[in-house]
Amino acid sequence: MRRLGSVQRKMPCVFVTEVKEEPSTKREHQPFKVLATETLSHKALDADIHNAIPTEKVDGTCCYVTNYKGQPYLWARLDRKPNKLAEKRFKNFLHLKQNSKEFFWNVEEDFKPVPECWIPAKEIEQINGNPIPDENGHIPGWVPVEKNSKQHCWHSSVVDYESEIALVLRHHPDDPGLLEISAVPLSDLLEQTLELIGTNINGNPYGLGSKKHPLHLLIPHGAFQIRNLPTLKHSDLLSWFDGCREGKIEGIVWHCNDGCLIKVHRHHLGLCWPIPDTYMNSKPVIINMNLNKYEEKTRFRSVRVCPNNRYQN
């Protein structure tokens, strides 16, 4: 199976969207909703969406694995954002023009500082070596997760740089109905993006771990392919999300042949998230941790699935 695309920029919706002046169910204090119409977007059609691979959109925080200090490292998402003056100027411009592409940014002066180790996301457009902000005025990027980082302590909990391994959740290779937690060499994950999920991430929609025994895992993007998705019609997808066991997920990400990623979120269809009894939680999971070839001191020797979460083991 070919390696699927990595998440290096904001993904467009599979449908043309519209804004409705109603309180958002996705973001607290947001006075509007972004909802999908019944029309497929030009971006989706141009990317040959009908021949793309549909996968589960997992609710966590995005990470990236690439080299740093001469070895594979986990990187956390950090968007470079405009300072207050530039943000105010940008919002006023949008109110008048409705087109962010016409706005002129001075990247050196308009944006808040970032750590020296920060790198822009791979697919960001650049002019004269300077990354160009997206339609929201942000420059997506990454910072390395250091071993003892307080800011990224939950990211740090899923990697062991001495042994160069990461704690990964994915399908069991011999049984697609079974999930497996295993220690994977970071070198096997190079240039991939992954989703960090767990006890202290995004409100823990999958019920992993507990306050006393937090549990965090990495899931490679595209790991959970959807086998029996209905046609790309608004009504059919709405019925699938609302009525099928496989539809009890946050959303869908289509991996297109040209590398483009297209998504739809439950909120685009007016449906709630998070929900009880997600599809991921309905699958049994095994822990496969053969650590004999790694150092005795590896932190993953103490990993366990807390009985308070909803996984079987």
Side-chain angles (χ1 to χ4, degrees):
M1 187 187 75
R2 67 179 176 90
R3 179 181 285 192
L4 300 184
S6 64
V7 179
Q8 296 280 350
R9 63 191 305 171
K10 185 176 175 64
M11 292 181 286
C13 182
V14 68
F15 296 107
V16 175
T17 57
E18 62 182 5
V19 176
K20 287 200 171 183
E21 298 298 327
E22 300 174 5
S24 172
T25 56
K26 183 179 181 180
R27 294 184 176 89
E28 193 176 357
H29 306 308
Q30 180 174 291
F32 61 89
K33 292 180 179 178
V34 179
L35 296 174
T37 66
E38 296 185 2
T39 304
L40 288 173
S41 71
H42 288 297
K43 287 184 179 179
L45 294 172
D46 290 344
D48 193 18
I49 190 71
H50 292 288
N51 291 307
I53 299 175
T55 67
E56 177 178 347
K57 185 180 186 302
V58 178
D59 187 3
T61 185
C62 194
C63 304
Y64 176 45
V65 176
T66 194
N67 284 315
Y68 181 64
K69 295 181 178 179
Q71 71 175 90
Y73 247 71
L74 184 69
W75 295 61
R77 178 74 176 267
L78 178 65
D79 287 4
R80 194 173 182 189
K81 298 179 181 180
N83 55 43
K84 289 184 178 180
L85 287 176
E87 184 178 23
K88 183 177 180 180
R89 188 161 52 91
F90 180 60
K91 287 183 176 180
N92 289 338
F93 182 89
L94 286 182
H95 182 71
L96 295 173
K97 294 286 187 177
Q98 302 293 317
N99 187 350
S100 62
K101 290 186 177 181
E102 298 178 11
F103 187 80
F104 174 76
W105 290 102
N106 185 327
V107 176
E108 293 182 0
E109 297 181 3
D110 287 342
F111 285 83
K112 298 174 183 177
V114 289
E116 287 186 11
C117 54
W118 179 89
I119 59 172
K122 270 192 169 183
E123 296 179 8
I124 298 302
E125 297 179 35
Q126 297 196 15
I127 296 179
N128 298 325
N130 291 319
I132 304 302
D134 61 20
E135 65 269 24
N136 298 310
H138 296 176
I139 306 175
W142 310 99
V143 289
V145 174
E146 297 288 4
K147 179 180 177 181
N148 297 314
S149 169
K150 292 183 179 180
Q151 181 181 3
H152 299 118
C153 58
W154 306 122
H155 293 71
S156 177
S157 72
V158 298
V159 289
D160 186 324
Y161 290 132
E162 282 74 23
S163 301
E164 297 191 11
I165 53 178
L167 200 59
V168 173
L169 174 69
R170 54 191 175 184
H171 283 303
H172 189 279
D174 299 322
D175 184 353
L178 186 66
L179 297 177
E180 178 184 80
I181 298 172
S182 60
V184 176
L186 279 164
S187 58
D188 289 357
L189 303 172
L190 271 172
E191 302 311 316
Q192 291 189 54
T193 55
L194 311 95
E195 203 76 5
L196 175 67
I197 65 170
T199 312
N200 297 287
I201 304 296
N202 279 10
N204 195 18
Y206 305 106
L208 291 177
S210 66
K211 185 175 181 179
K212 186 177 181 180
H213 299 292
L215 176 67
H216 299 86
L217 304 165
L218 290 169
I219 301 176
H221 286 142
F224 299 154
Q225 293 191 24
I226 299 171
R227 304 294 177 185
N228 299 301
L229 196 66
T231 58
L232 285 174
K233 292 183 179 179
H234 187 286
S235 57
D236 290 345
L237 286 175
L238 180 61
S239 298
W240 182 82
F241 273 114
D242 202 30
C244 292
R245 186 171 71 107
E246 294 84 355
K248 292 184 179 296
I249 59 178
E250 184 199 19
I252 303 167
V253 176
W254 286 268
H255 292 250
C256 303
N257 291 324
D258 65 356
C260 184
L261 302 180
I262 308 289
K263 72 177 180 182
V264 70
H265 192 288
R266 293 178 70 93
H267 287 121
H268 286 134
L269 304 175
L271 298 173
C272 291
W273 180 266
I275 57 174
D277 303 320
T278 68
Y279 183 50
M280 190 189 299
N281 291 120
S282 72
K283 294 184 176 183
V285 63
I286 64 169
I287 302 173
N288 182 9
M289 301 291 285
N290 182 8
L291 300 175
N292 292 331
K293 60 182 178 180
Y294 300 110
E295 299 263 351
E296 283 290 330
K297 61 184 179 181
T298 179
R299 69 174 67 185
F300 295 155
R301 290 189 180 276
S302 62
V303 169
R304 61 177 175 172
V305 176
C306 176
N308 289 341
N309 70 48
R310 297 192 290 267
Y311 282 114
Q312 304 172 41
N313 63 87

